[in-house]
Each structure stands twice: as C-alpha cells, then as structure tokens.
Amino acid sequence: MRKQQILNKEIESFDFQSGGEASSNLKNILRKLGVSAQIVRKTAIVTYELEMNVVIHSLGGEITALISEDELEIRVDDDGPGIADLDKAFTAGYSTASDEIREMGFGAGMGLVNVKRYADQIDVKSSLGEGTHVKVIIKLSS
Ligand SMILES: Nc1ncnc2c1ncn2[C@@H]1O[C@H](COP(=O)(O)OP(=O)(O)OP(=O)(O)O)[C@@H](O)[C@H]1O
Ligand SMILES: [Mg+2]
C-alpha cells in the first residue's frame, strides 16, 4: 500500500517558539485533505505531545507524517539522550521535567500516556545514548 509523505519538519531542542508548529501544520494539511475532525483531533494530540517531548527532553530531531488510503503514519525521531526505562516513561504521572519546565506548564507525565491512548498502533525504540524513535499509526477509518 503506497504512502505519501505529507510532512517532514525539524524539531529544535528547547525551541518553545516553534514548538508545536509541526502538529499545527499537520492539522491544517489533514483538514485540507478532507480527513475527519475526529481523526484530525487525535492526530494533533499525538503529534503535539511527541513534538514537545523532543523540544523538552531531547537534543533535537524530526517529525515525518505519511498518509495512505487507510492510515496515517507519524514518525518522530530524535538524536538522544534516549529513554532509560520505557515502562516508567509510559506510566501516568512519571516525568523527569525540571522545575523550570514545570513552571511553563509541562511535566505532568501524561504525554506518552495520551499518545498511547489515541494511537491505533505505537512502536517506540529507545535506549540511553541512542535517541528515541517513535512510530505511530492512526487509522483513517474509525
Ligand atoms: N524524546 C524523548 N527523549 C528523552 N526522554 C523522553 C522523551 N520523551 C519522553 N521522555 C521521558 O519520558 C518521560 C515521560 O514523558 P511524558 O511525555 O509522558 O511526560 P512529560 O513530557 O514529562 O510531561 P507532559 O508530557 O505531561 O508535559 C519524560 O519525563 C522523559 O523522562
Ligand atoms: Mg511530554
């Protein structure tokens, strides 16, 4: 099944100015493609959380979105430092965010929990020093 790339964007570490742009861009692209509001909303939540995790927790990375007739594929890849314990990272309320970040309103430890909740499929590869690679599938027909 052929997939078409509809977004590829760099995400800079600690860039709170542009942080959120990729998910917002993708939202507009999906709307233009006629994707249903419900799917657009789900996708926006997933991409925003993953994008902000790259801004907050990583050295920087990129997001890529592909679409086919029946699904969306979102890939978020960063250059490290990676996640030591994935089970912990997916636990509600777990966060390593600093006080400074918490003051900005992040760090509830709910991002990945929500990504998992809204994704139809999720695959995370990460280890310390290796960077984090997330692949999410969102079905278009649900
Ligand atoms: N791309 C990443 N690189 C390194 N560590 C990450 C990355 N994404 C998540 N983590 C780790 O997993 C933890 C949980 O992530 P999650 O998104 O659930 O919560 P949070 O970002 O800390 O807070 P919230 O998303 O609620 O603002 C983070 O605190 C961080 O330790
Ligand atoms: Mg987060």
Side-chain angles (χ1 to χ4, degrees):
M1 182 190 346
R2 257 191 43 186
K3 282 190 178 170
Q4 193 198 341
Q5 185 173 303
I6 52 173
L7 179 89
N8 177 250
K9 198 174 188 298
E10 229 178 278
I11 307 168
E12 304 266 5
S13 178
F14 257 72
D15 183 355
F16 290 92
Q17 210 69 38
S18 310
E21 263 180 21
S23 62
S24 158
N25 290 355
L26 183 59
K27 216 166 150 177
N28 291 332
I29 292 164
L30 293 177
R31 280 200 188 117
K32 279 189 193 139
L33 288 171
V35 173
S36 78
Q38 189 206 352
I39 303 293
V40 172
R41 204 177 315 121
K42 270 208 252 188
T43 307
I45 293 167
V46 165
T47 51
Y48 179 75
E49 292 300 342
L50 293 174
E51 180 181 9
M52 292 316 295
N53 277 355
V54 173
V55 172
I56 292 168
H57 304 293
S58 91
L59 301 167
E62 65 170 347
I63 178 167
T64 308
L66 303 129
I67 196 166
S68 70
E69 216 158 281
D70 58 350
E71 65 185 36
L72 259 166
E73 178 179 323
I74 318 284
R75 287 177 176 270
V76 182
D77 301 290
D78 70 48
D79 302 328
I83 300 174
D85 186 334
L86 277 176
D87 285 339
K88 253 192 197 169
F90 275 93
T91 302
Y94 175 82
S95 176
T96 58
S98 64
D99 289 344
E100 182 196 351
I101 292 293
R102 285 168 202 262
E103 272 159 30
M104 297 174 76
F106 302 100
M110 290 308 292
L112 289 176
V113 172
N114 279 321
V115 170
K116 197 169 187 175
R117 175 171 165 207
Y118 291 111
D120 291 305
Q121 273 175 50
I122 180 167
D123 176 45
V124 185
K125 289 195 172 66
S126 187
S127 54
L128 278 185
E130 293 282 315
T132 298
H133 307 278
V134 184
K135 179 181 151 186
V136 164
I137 299 288
I138 293 173
K139 299 278 178 206
L140 293 174
S141 53
S142 62

